[in-house]
Amino acid sequence: MNKQEQAIRVLLADDHPIVMTGFAMSLAGVGMDVVAQARSPDEAAAMYAEMKPDVLVLDIRFGTELTGLDAARGLLGTYPAANIVFLSQFDQDSLIKETYRIGARAFVTKDCDPADLATAVRHAHADKLYFLPQIAERLANL
């Protein structure tokens, strides 16, 4: 099997189990393999190092001192080819700009259609950028 035929291996990281479960079900429903679910930035970094998933879907805000941005900076410092999709309920311009600046492949909001999350994961896996159209337009204007 080549890269296109294998199921994309995804690590999810969010501190809300119900949210992660919903995203895991929607990604599995389109043939992706959710290999693990982390509940903190530290856990996400440790699981990434151990499992080397194809894509990390990472929340930005956790109920801890560390954020998803902190975890991403650390991971990208060690694994520059890491494909990170940020997922957030917040879509402030400064936050979107920062995710792009540190090297994220995609940014989607938690209220997006599950198909948009799957598209973001596929783009990240293919080393392409993906931002929801309304976010891409705002990012272009920054």
Side-chain angles (χ1 to χ4, degrees):
M1 276 190 173
N2 66 31
K3 186 175 178 178
Q4 297 301 328
E5 294 169 341
Q6 293 176 342
I8 299 172
R9 298 174 60 252
V10 181
L11 168 61
L12 294 175
D14 192 296
D15 56 342
H16 296 98
I18 191 104
V19 171
M20 261 198 306
T21 299
F23 289 129
M25 288 173 56
S26 69
L27 292 174
V30 294
M32 295 182 190
D33 181 15
V34 178
V35 295
Q37 298 179 20
R39 291 190 179 185
S40 72
D42 287 333
E43 192 176 28
M47 287 180 168
Y48 186 93
E50 179 185 332
M51 300 177 163
K52 308 284 190 315
D54 298 316
V55 177
L56 168 60
V57 176
L58 183 62
D59 190 10
I60 291 180
R61 300 234 170 116
F62 287 82
T64 62
E65 290 181 21
L66 286 179
T67 68
L69 294 170
D70 298 323
R73 284 186 198 99
L75 283 170
L76 289 165
T78 306
Y79 307 99
N83 292 314
I84 298 175
V85 173
F86 275 110
L87 180 66
S88 181
Q89 67 188 54
F90 306 101
D91 69 347
Q92 296 101 331
D93 290 348
S94 60
L95 203 53
I96 297 164
K97 185 177 177 182
E98 182 64 8
T99 65
Y100 178 73
R101 190 190 69 71
I102 65 173
R105 293 280 179 207
F107 181 100
V108 293
T109 55
K110 288 186 179 180
D111 63 353
C112 75
D113 187 287
D116 289 323
L117 177 58
T119 298
V121 169
R122 283 189 196 99
H123 274 74
H125 183 245
D127 297 325
K128 297 178 185 174
L129 296 177
Y130 180 81
F131 294 88
L132 295 171
Q134 65 272 26
I135 291 174
E137 184 177 328
R138 286 174 33 208
L139 190 58
N141 289 325
L142 291 178

